[in-house]
Structure formats: C-alpha cells, structure tokens
Amino acid sequence: MNAYTDITQVLKGCREGDSAAIEALVHAYRHHLYRFALSILHDPVEADEATQDSLVTAIDKLDTYRREASFKTWLFAITLNTCRGRLRKRKVREKLLQPLAALFGRVSHESAHPEEIAFRNETQVAVWRAINALDEKHREILILRYYHDLGLNDIARIVGLSDRTVRTRLHTAHERLRVLLREEAGLR
Amino acid sequence: MKSLEHEQARYYLHMGYEDLTEAEQESLERHLSQCGTCRSYAGEADKVRSTLSSVMHAQWDRHRPAPATDDKIQTRIRRKIVQKKVMNLTGSLASGAALLGFIVVIAWFFRPPLPGPVNTGSASVPTRVNLTFGKTITLLGFGLTQDHLTAGDTLGIALFWQARVTPQTSYAVFIHLQDENDRLLVQSDALPLNGTRPTTGWKPDEVIEDRREIQLPSNLPPGRYRLIVGLYDPSTGSRLNTSEGKDALTLTTLEVK
C-alpha cells in the first residue's frame, strides 16, 4: 500500500468521523504544522493554537482539497493563512497598545525576536538578526525553503504566488542575507 | 549556446540546482567553469543556504506541540464533524421540505378543475360524457333507471348539464328514442326541469340535473333502439351543434326484449 492510498483512506475516514483516521491525521502532521506555525509566529502558545485551528479548518474544508498539490502542501497553505491572520491581529493589538505603553513609559521590545535572545552563539545571532531584518514575505519563503525543505513549486502553491515570483523573492532574500552577513562579519 | 551573464548566474545560484531546469543547470555549469568570480560567489551562496538551514533546524527542531494539543485537536475535529453532519442533515431536511412545498404549489397550480356544486343534492354522474353543445353548455353525463327494457316500460333518464357561463338563449332539451332506421318512436322535449330551470338562469359551472321519463309503447317490438339527446332554440327550432359538429348525441343503444 503506497502513501497516496494511505492518505486517501485517512481522509475518507476523517470525512466519516472515524476516530482512528482523525488520530492518524493529527499524528502525521501536527509536528510539521506546529513548527511551521512557530517559525512564522515565534510564539509557542500561538503556534499551538494555530496548529489546532489549521487542522480543524482542513477537516472542515476537506471537500475542497483537489489533489492538485500534496496534502501536506495544502495543509501548509491553510496554516500560513491562519498564521497571517494571527499576525494581522497581533499588529492591530500592538498598535492599540502602543499609546498605553507610551503613556506608562514602557519601551517596546517587539523588534527583538525570541531567537536573538535564545542564542548565545554569535554567528547564529547574526544570522537571525539578518533573517529578522527581512520583511515577512521574504522571510516566509526562506523558512519554507530552508527549514521545511520544500521545492519552489510547493512554496508557490503555499504562498499563492507564481513560481517566477517565488524565485525572485528567494533571490532577493538570499542577496540581502549575503550582504547583511558580510557586513556582520566585517563588523566583528 | 549563449553564455550566461553574471547576474543570471547568481540568480540561478540562489535557486539551488534541484530547482533549475536541465538547460539552466548546463548553462550555469558552463559559466562557472569559466568565471572565477561567480565560482567564489557560488561558495558564498552555498554557505548562506547551509547556514540558514542549520540555524533554523537548531532553533525549531527541539520544539514540540504541547502534549495536550493532540487531544484538543481531535476533540475539536470530532465536534466539527458532528456539526457538519448536523448541518448537512438540517440542510437536506430543509431542501426536502422546500422541494415538497414546491411540488405542492406546482400541483395546486396545475390541479384539474373541480366539479362545480351539484344542485338538488344529486349523487355523482353515473355515465360520463363531457360533450359541449354550442360554446358553453356541456353534457357532463347521464343515468338510466334500468338497463333491461320491455315494451310498455317507463324509462327514467337523468341528464347532468353544466354551463361555463350563463347562456343568453333559453334552450329546450330533447330526448328521442329512435329505431335502427332513425324513425322517431318516443320523445321528450321540454325546457330543463320542466321549465323551472331555463338555461338563461344557469349559474356558471353549476351542475343541473334534469330528470325525464319516457314511456315505451306497449306494442314496441323487441330490438335495439337509440336514445339521442340534444338542445334547440324553441323560438327558431335550430339545434345546437356539439363540439364534434353533430346536432345530437347518441347517449346509448337500448336493448328491448
């Protein structure tokens, strides 16, 4: 029995509400989705919630899965949308809270990503600083490419862009990183 | 093959070999074999790629979803599936009800015309005819008091009439008994219900039951006789033609023994 047949059976079982199929689906994808959500949101609690939301949405929209891409790619696209929604809400929240923070004399540390704080290795800190200096649309593509090892076609489907645009963004992100890392190295 | 520009070569280098077409790979290899600057750039690009991969894996690989997440997700998924099933069932029921309603409306719209009110408390029409005389008067049917006749018998005949609109002319009804040579033997000619319900007083769609009796001659020889019926204008004597173009209708053929 090949993987395609397996996932077909799992999805069929999920549609029918079969507990074993649901469990199999959750076990097969929860880690991938959680890490993907974490890599976008940088917050374990939010990543956990986004993983739940994404899998529930996927089951809800299972009838719309057309098999044009792999199921994993389809799940990643849903997760990315979920994460983007959360990021938008976060930005609104931060905007609303900014005047309050100013009022109470607090300084915002939002630019400091957890990765920068967590690492002690100078090179890694420099790399993270460079990654975080990129805007969201370039960072997403780097993460999908180098953390999730996805091909350009799959990335294009997940982010909803053409292959050509993804190539261009990957090139731009690379070039900026190369320059940033060279500057970092020069400074040290 | 045209050689690559440095910019194009660098663009390819950032993609990584696995996402280049064979032609792109070939042209890149050819360019790198001739260009030391781009070879050095390729080394840098490789380093960027491997660094990115390693820092990301080092950062996120150790993370796991919270242990309770599995149960939460499965519970939410099961709930969602139940919700969907309920919604589907509700939708199906609603669709079924809507369809049934639609069918009822359509059936009501195209329902066959109901028979009008029957006067004199008459029962249903024994033998249906449904033949129209002129443009408005229809003979719905008739009934006979007996089927087996002998000479001298009295035959009761009930005619059931209906007018679509009230006729403008007062017509008389005739019933004739004829032999096989169309010779008139017995007749009953009169306004409906002995003149008490002239056709000019018939309400639209009202059913008029006109009862007559004919006395068979006592010397009537056994044989087959035709009972015919029709309408005529007593002031002119002209008959109303049926929708089939005849001036009378043969109700039945009677067997006299």
Side-chain angles (χ1 to χ4, degrees), chain B residues 1 19 24 27-28 36 46 53 61 70 124 126 143 146 154-155 170 189 193 195 203 206 213 220 228 237 248 253:
Chain B
M1 189 182 285
D19 278 308
E24 287 169 342
S27 57
L28 178 62
D46 276 346
S53 180
D61 277 357
D70 273 17
S124 58
Q146 56 197 95
T154 300
L155 175 65
S170 178
D189 284 26
L193 279 86
K203 294 171 189 163
E206 182 186 10
E213 283 184 348
L220 190 69
I228 67 166
T253 301

Side-chain angles (χ1 to χ4, degrees), chain B residues 129-203:
Chain B
V129 173
N130 280 332
L131 187 75
T132 302
F133 289 79
K135 291 180 180 172
T136 60
I137 300 175
T138 300
L139 177 64
L140 298 174
F142 68 97
L144 303 176
T145 51
Q146 56 197 95
D147 296 327
H148 305 291
L149 294 165
T150 54
D153 278 353
T154 300
L155 175 65
I157 305 159
L159 300 172
F160 297 88
W161 299 99
Q162 189 177 46
R164 191 166 48 81
V165 292
T166 302
Q168 298 297 305
T169 306
S170 178
Y171 293 104
V173 176
F174 67 87
I175 299 174
H176 293 175
L177 186 71
Q178 297 179 341
D179 64 11
E180 287 176 334
N181 298 318
D182 292 339
R183 195 157 51 96
L184 177 62
L185 300 171
V186 186
Q187 72 181 98
S188 163
D189 284 26
L191 297 179
L193 279 86
N194 291 319
T196 59
R197 293 301 308 273
T199 54
T200 47
W202 292 2
K203 294 171 189 163

